[in-house]
Amino acid sequence: MSSHAGAVSQLVDRLSQLPGIGRKSAERLAFHLLRVREDEALALSDAIRRVRTDVRYCAACFNLSEKELCQICADPNRDAARLCVVEQPRDLLSLEASGAYKGLYHVLLGRIAPLDGVTPDQLTIDALVERVRTGKFSEIIMATNPTVEGDGTSLYLSNQLSEFPVEITRLARGITAGSVLEYANREIIADALTGRQKL
Ligand SMILES: [Zn+2]
């Protein structure tokens, strides 16, 4: 076997380890990358390198950011009295895309899932409690996913935050139980935000 074949099969192996990419798709992608212009193919590897070296978690909310504070935390026009708690940065993106929310966020970087070995101390819960303790929030909106684990997480959080003088609400159940924010369309998310209820 030539070394070229080795390089190709290495790329196919790497690609097929990505979520949602099977062996066949990995092969298709690899041959596509061999066919396109060299600078186009290398732009992909640059983008991967940049995302790993330049992107980090926002020091305040744990959203993805290229600076110490993310664009949302750094924006003085956001409503600093409201804090919306989400599981992942991609959930934040879904809520932002709805255009219905102008407050701040806190990204947990997961949800409490005892069966998968995810305990509260592995999430950004301490930082959240500290933010609520020192911040000037009047409302905390639980926007964890409407799954058993998401609900459990927001219940746990509302207990942790019960000593503070803030109103705790959660998204209305416009989002079907079990579905994830990531896949809900923006109208549904906007409805869920407007119709939020006391927890
Ligand atoms: Zn931030």
Side-chain angles (χ1 to χ4, degrees), residues 39-58:
D39 58 338
E40 235 177 278
L42 293 180
L44 175 65
S45 75
D46 278 352
I48 294 172
R49 191 178 300 278
R50 271 202 58 210
V51 87
R52 291 312 305 252
T53 51
D54 297 353
V55 178
R56 50 182 150 164
Y57 293 120
C58 168

Side-chain angles (χ1 to χ4, degrees), residues 11-173:
L11 178 59
V12 171
D13 284 348
R14 292 277 172 199
L15 290 169
S16 62
Q17 284 162 19
L18 298 173
I21 308 280
R23 193 88 201 159
K24 277 269 167 272
S25 305
E27 280 169 7
R28 211 158 41 232
L29 289 169
F31 286 110
H32 172 78
L33 290 168
L34 281 168
R35 252 192 335 264
V36 295
R37 289 206 331 254
E38 186 175 346
D39 58 338
E40 235 177 278
L42 293 180
L44 175 65
S45 75
D46 278 352
I48 294 172
R49 191 178 300 278
R50 271 202 58 210
V51 87
R52 291 312 305 252
T53 51
D54 297 353
V55 178
R56 50 182 150 164
Y57 293 120
C58 168
C61 77
F62 297 90
N63 183 18
L64 297 175
S65 178
E66 291 188 27
K67 300 207 177 103
E68 166 111 19
L69 289 181
C70 73
Q71 281 182 340
I72 295 171
C73 288
D75 181 351
N77 296 318
R78 304 288 300 206
D79 175 2
R82 272 174 241 292
L83 188 67
C84 180
V85 179
V86 295
E87 293 178 23
Q88 299 288 356
R90 56 181 186 265
D91 299 326
L92 180 158
L93 289 180
S94 304
L95 285 157
E96 279 299 287
S98 78
Y101 180 68
K102 297 288 171 230
L104 299 174
Y105 291 94
H106 190 89
V107 183
L108 294 169
L109 299 178
R111 73 236 175 296
I112 302 170
L115 295 179
D116 298 331
V118 183
T119 51
D121 58 296
Q122 289 167 277
L123 308 177
T124 64
I125 294 174
D126 287 350
L128 170 64
V129 173
E130 202 43 41
R131 274 184 95 184
V132 175
R133 185 197 311 282
T134 55
K136 299 203 166 43
F137 300 109
S138 60
E139 181 183 5
I140 312 293
I141 303 160
M142 295 297 166
T144 53
N145 280 302
T147 59
V148 174
E149 289 166 344
D151 284 344
T153 303
S154 78
L155 207 61
Y156 177 89
L157 293 177
S158 55
N159 284 328
Q160 296 287 306
L161 298 174
S162 59
E163 57 173 299
F164 302 112
V166 289
E167 183 169 39
I168 299 176
T169 58
R170 69 161 189 215
L171 294 187
R173 292 308 161 105

